[in-house]
Amino acid sequence: MAVRRILTYPDTVLRERAEAVTNIDGKTQELIDDMIQTMYQAPGVGLASNQVGEPCRIISCDTSPKDEPNDLVVLINPEIVETDGFIVYEEGCLSVIDYTADVKRAECITVKGLDREGNPVLLKKEGLPAIVLQHEIDHLDGMLFIDRISTLKRELYKRRLKKLLKQRESPRL
Ligand code: NI
């Protein structure tokens, strides 16, 4: 197992639609183990495979509080099949540096996909776990939460990020 580097916006890999997994092999298992370790180490409540530069369709999530047993979910080729209601939640992302914003999503969802052994699963989630699943599935489609906020807010963030990245580039004297 290894902690992988998480790509950050505006890396173009994050913008590509990830391809479905057609063969679950040893490499897939290794990637999943790495994703889980990377997610917990970050720490984050969710991670999509293309965030670590692997453009296949795998997500991991765990929204359980720190002092409670884990509630790890790994899904291969996840797909939302049903949604209900709306919820607004302040989201951040391991791939979006130094920014959070309110995002409106479905409050309840049903997701189908495969577990890491390749068995079909159907999950019904609501609240935070549902939000995280939608956020991670967006990643697989090349979408970030900043695509779901107003153009004005996004442009302001882009400008701030540009300055921030420039500062990081310049030598510290
Ligand atoms: Ni994210």
Side-chain angles (χ1 to χ4, degrees):
M1 285 217 277
V3 170
R4 304 227 189 164
R5 191 173 71 88
I6 298 173
L7 304 178
T8 54
Y9 175 81
D11 195 304
T12 53
V13 175
L14 294 168
R15 293 320 212 163
E16 287 161 24
R17 191 174 193 277
E19 296 285 334
V21 176
T22 51
N23 183 24
I24 302 171
D25 55 14
K27 277 221 140 189
T28 317
Q29 300 301 337
E30 200 183 310
L31 170 61
I32 291 170
D33 285 338
D34 288 356
M35 284 175 61
I36 294 168
Q37 205 184 357
T38 306
M39 176 180 79
Y40 284 132
Q41 202 259 346
V45 293
L47 193 72
S49 48
N50 51 346
Q51 286 183 278
V52 292
E54 301 283 348
C56 52
R57 301 183 78 80
I58 304 175
I59 59 171
S60 64
C61 322
D62 185 353
T63 53
S64 60
K66 245 188 180 170
D67 49 349
E68 281 178 27
N70 79 36
D71 184 24
L72 179 66
V73 173
V74 172
L75 278 180
I76 299 172
N77 301 338
E79 206 182 305
I80 297 169
V81 289
E82 214 180 305
T83 66
D84 192 27
F86 291 103
I87 189 169
V88 175
Y89 187 80
E90 186 179 347
E91 293 186 23
C93 177
L94 296 171
S95 293
V96 178
I97 299 165
D98 202 29
Y99 191 65
T100 60
D102 280 349
V103 179
K104 187 181 175 189
R105 296 190 189 269
E107 188 178 13
C108 308
I109 59 165
T110 306
V111 179
K112 70 169 187 180
L114 303 172
D115 67 15
R116 61 183 299 173
E117 277 81 43
N119 306 306
V121 285
L122 194 67
L123 289 177
K124 260 181 182 268
K125 297 279 180 186
E126 63 172 280
L128 184 59
I131 291 166
V132 176
L133 283 169
Q134 291 170 82
H135 177 117
E136 304 313 328
I137 293 170
D138 267 359
H139 271 302
L140 299 180
D141 293 330
M143 195 156 178
L144 299 168
F145 81 92
I146 52 171
D147 299 320
R148 294 191 179 274
I149 61 176
S150 73
T151 312
L152 176 67
K153 276 191 188 164
R154 190 168 50 249
E155 287 309 315
L156 287 172
Y157 171 64
K158 277 188 194 169
R159 226 181 287 169
R160 188 156 67 76
L161 180 68
K162 229 181 218 175
K163 266 189 214 161
L164 201 76
L165 295 178
K166 216 171 174 185
Q167 274 169 8
R168 287 188 183 184
E169 264 170 35
S170 52
R172 287 167 192 273
L173 302 177

